[in-house]
Amino acid sequence: MIKICKNSVLTLAACFMGILALGACSATPTATVEPTEDVPTLEATEVVLVEEPTPTDTPEEINECVECHQDKQRLIDNAAEEEEVEEENSGQG
């Protein structure tokens, strides 16, 4: 068990009370700021609806990634053969 000296407890309590007293004495400034310029007001504007293009209006984009990954034969043709890796711990020596 830790022995706490009576003097150290009293010192800590006095420091804590001093910090509280100093904190309570500090006044927070309450500044009132008067506007120097007129604040512009926003006016209502007219909303215009724009028609979205139909799917037939835009040409169909081809996603090469999807095309390549869905083509099984292309995947087989482009696949690299696996190389047999010799372990460092095997062999002579």
Side-chain angles (χ1 to χ4, degrees):
M1 178 111 184
I2 300 174
K3 288 187 175 182
I4 299 176
C5 183
K6 187 176 182 180
N7 289 338
S8 63
V9 172
L10 291 176
T11 305
L12 285 174
C15 288
F16 182 73
M17 294 298 283
I19 290 171
L20 284 178
L22 290 175
C25 293
S26 66
T28 57
T30 55
T32 56
V33 178
E34 298 290 328
T36 56
E37 298 177 3
D38 290 333
V39 178
T41 57
L42 299 176
E43 297 179 12
T45 58
E46 183 179 337
V47 177
V48 179
L49 296 177
V50 178
E51 292 184 27
E52 292 186 25
T54 59
T56 58
D57 292 344
T58 58
E60 188 175 326
E61 294 181 18
I62 299 173
N63 188 341
E64 284 295 321
C65 295
V66 173
E67 291 294 321
C68 181
H69 285 270
Q70 287 181 346
D71 187 0
K72 186 175 182 178
Q73 187 59 42
R74 191 188 301 183
L75 286 173
I76 292 170
D77 294 341
N78 290 337
E81 294 182 21
E82 292 185 27
E83 297 179 16
E84 189 173 321
V85 179
E86 185 178 328
E87 293 184 23
E88 293 180 11
N89 294 333
S90 65
Q92 292 181 345

